[in-house]
């Protein structure tokens, strides 16, 4: 590809982790593949760190297929340095430090992504921390602030407050002036949520979040990734004209729901998944993050919460920790 600017030192092959077959963490196996090459509008990243996320586990289990044309390797976010740029790329140069949302392929030494889905490493953060940003911050920003329209002074409830999504949502909502409530499954996790900015963290093993939030007037916005019987409970916990945003279904997507409450109380139930959205949609989210959130990261008002790091070849162990739900914050893989 003569129009591609690339480092002369690029190898022909790279280490990676692939999915041998649908199944549990042990189906992840080290492998070697040819380097991907950036097409028009894309960059090639020499990956230093890759984030580990729930969608990676869903793909590994065979229930979250990559979009057409994307790598079949897992990994939806990474940080590193630009190793090559494809035609029509003007915002990045070889050697730039970046973090990026990926269509797939993050569990590898090199990965390609649209240039517009990459962001500079925020001032004051290293590559390890930067690898934790794209998937969670794209998800939280687009769902909580764009889709649900959370405003300063409103009451916000996030389930799974100690997860990567939860710790991000708590901090961003608090930084933008919302009253934040969170659920978590232990006293330790609840304490973390409150240190990050939650006004009240509710141990769901000991208290009913519906009662707690309704006593405060109900939630204006709820971010949920649990599903199942949480859905009707979320509806009861909403204030009039409240908005429920569904981003995952850890306990299942089907439930019986009385929609009369939606009509009478003028509620909104919405949701999204990030990976299938268009490149343009993701580019718009990236631009919004750069303008609205990257200054908060640079100022230290928001920061990724780190749980643990594993070598790339131990991706199976990283997945096992994530699925144990013992983690607090983000899990990353050391690649480069």
């Amino acid at each position: 590809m003569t129009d591609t600017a690339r480092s002369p030192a690029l190898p022909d092959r790279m280490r990676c982790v692939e999915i041998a077959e649908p199944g549990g963490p042990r189906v992840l196996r080290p492998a070697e593949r040819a380097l991907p090459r950036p097409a028009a509008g894309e960059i090639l990243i020499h990956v230093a760190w890759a984030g580990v996320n729930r969608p990676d586990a869903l793909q590994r289990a065979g229930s979250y297929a990559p979009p057409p044309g994307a790598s079949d390797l897992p990994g939806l976010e990474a940080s590193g340095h630009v190793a090559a740029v494809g035609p029509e790329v003007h915002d990045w140069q070889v050697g730039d430090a970046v973090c990026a949302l990926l269509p797939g392929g993050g569990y590898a030494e090199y990965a390609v992504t649209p240039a517009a889905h990459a962001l500079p490493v925020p001032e004051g953060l290293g590559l390890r921390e930067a690898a934790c940003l794209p998937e969670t911050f794209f998800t939280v920003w687009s769902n909580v602030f764009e889709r649900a329209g959370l405003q300063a002074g409103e009451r916000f409830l996030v389930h799974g407050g100690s997860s990567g999504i939860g710790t991000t949502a708590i901090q961003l909502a608090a930084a933008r002036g919302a009253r934040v409530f969170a659920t978590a499954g232990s006293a330790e996790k609840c304490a973390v949520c409150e240190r990050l900015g939650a006004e009240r963290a509710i141990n769901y093993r000991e208290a009913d979040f519906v009662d707690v939030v309704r006593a405060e007037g109900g939630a204006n916005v709820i971010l949920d990734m649990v599903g199942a019987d949480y859905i009707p409970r979320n509806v009861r916990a909403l204030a009039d004209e409240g908005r429920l945003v569904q981003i995952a279904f850890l306990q299942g997507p089907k439930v019986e729901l009385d929609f009369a409450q939606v009509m009478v109380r003028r509620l909104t139930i919405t949701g999204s998944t990030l990976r299938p959205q268009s490149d343009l949609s993701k580019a718009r989210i990236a631009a919004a993050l750069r303008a609205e959130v990257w200054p908060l990261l640079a100022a230290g008002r928001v920061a990724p919460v780190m749980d643990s790091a594993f070598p790339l070849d131990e991706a199976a162990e990283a997945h096992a920790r994530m699925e144990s739900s013992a983690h607090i914050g983000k899990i990353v893989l050391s690649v480069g």
Side-chain angles (χ1 to χ4, degrees):
M1 185 179 294
T2 57
D3 291 339
T4 301
R6 52 185 293 161
S7 166
L10 287 179
D12 295 323
R13 308 283 292 176
M14 66 177 185
R15 293 185 303 117
C16 64
V17 167
E18 62 185 13
I19 301 169
E21 60 186 2
R26 292 299 167 187
V27 305
L28 296 172
R29 66 182 183 192
E32 186 179 277
R33 291 197 180 181
L35 250 66
R37 300 187 66 177
E42 294 182 335
I43 59 173
L44 176 70
I45 300 172
H46 186 191
V47 177
W49 296 87
V52 176
N53 295 284
R54 291 279 181 180
D56 302 342
L58 293 174
Q59 179 179 336
R60 187 206 70 221
S63 57
Y64 196 45
S71 170
D72 66 324
L73 298 176
L76 299 178
E77 62 182 349
S79 66
H81 293 90
V82 176
V85 300
E88 303 173 19
V89 173
H90 308 292
D91 295 334
W92 301 108
Q93 297 181 347
V94 171
D96 286 346
V98 297
C99 58
L101 187 73
L102 308 175
Y107 292 15
E109 290 183 293
Y110 292 85
V112 294
T113 196
H117 300 176
L119 289 159
V121 174
E123 183 179 348
L125 269 64
L127 289 173
R128 180 174 179 267
E129 293 77 21
C132 299
L133 301 177
E135 173 71 13
T136 50
F137 278 75
F138 273 68
T139 297
V140 170
W141 180 262
S142 62
N143 284 286
V144 175
F145 299 99
E146 294 185 342
R147 186 169 294 276
L150 180 68
Q151 300 295 314
E154 289 192 313
R155 295 174 296 275
F156 171 57
L157 171 64
V158 56
H159 293 298
S162 62
S163 66
I165 291 288
T167 55
T168 298
I170 289 170
Q171 292 182 81
L172 281 180
R176 294 176 67 85
R179 294 180 60 194
V180 182
F181 300 83
T183 62
S186 71
E188 178 190 10
K189 290 182 176 182
C190 285
V192 168
C193 294
E194 292 180 354
R195 286 200 299 270
L196 292 173
E199 177 178 324
R200 169 80 185 272
I202 305 153
N203 186 334
Y204 60 77
R205 303 180 194 279
E206 299 176 352
D208 186 344
F209 70 83
V210 178
D211 294 338
V212 173
V213 175
R214 284 182 63 85
E216 297 290 337
N220 303 107
V221 174
I222 297 177
L223 181 66
D224 183 40
M225 62 283 289
V226 180
D229 67 357
Y230 266 48
I231 298 173
R233 295 171 68 195
N234 286 331
V235 168
R236 293 200 304 274
L238 283 170
D240 289 355
E241 300 188 356
R243 293 88 76 193
L244 168 62
V245 188
Q246 202 74 41
I247 58 170
F249 297 102
L250 296 179
Q251 292 185 8
K254 297 181 180 180
V255 70
E256 184 174 315
L257 181 64
D258 179 4
F259 267 83
Q261 288 296 306
V262 176
M263 297 168 57
V264 172
R265 296 169 52 210
R266 304 171 303 284
L267 306 179
T268 298
I269 299 177
T270 184
S272 74
T273 55
L274 182 60
R275 195 177 195 183
Q277 293 185 44
S278 70
D279 286 350
L280 178 59
S281 175
K282 295 173 189 175
R284 288 172 174 164
I285 299 170
L289 287 172
R290 190 166 188 170
E292 300 288 344
V293 176
W294 255 230
L296 298 176
L297 288 160
R301 295 181 61 193
V302 174
V305 176
M306 308 294 296
D307 177 81
S308 52
F310 294 81
L312 177 63
D313 289 352
E314 295 180 13
E317 286 74 13
H319 274 225
R321 176 159 182 80
M322 178 177 62
E323 293 186 316
S324 75
S325 294
H327 65 293
I328 296 176
K330 294 284 292 193
I331 301 170
V332 292
L333 299 175
S334 175
V335 182

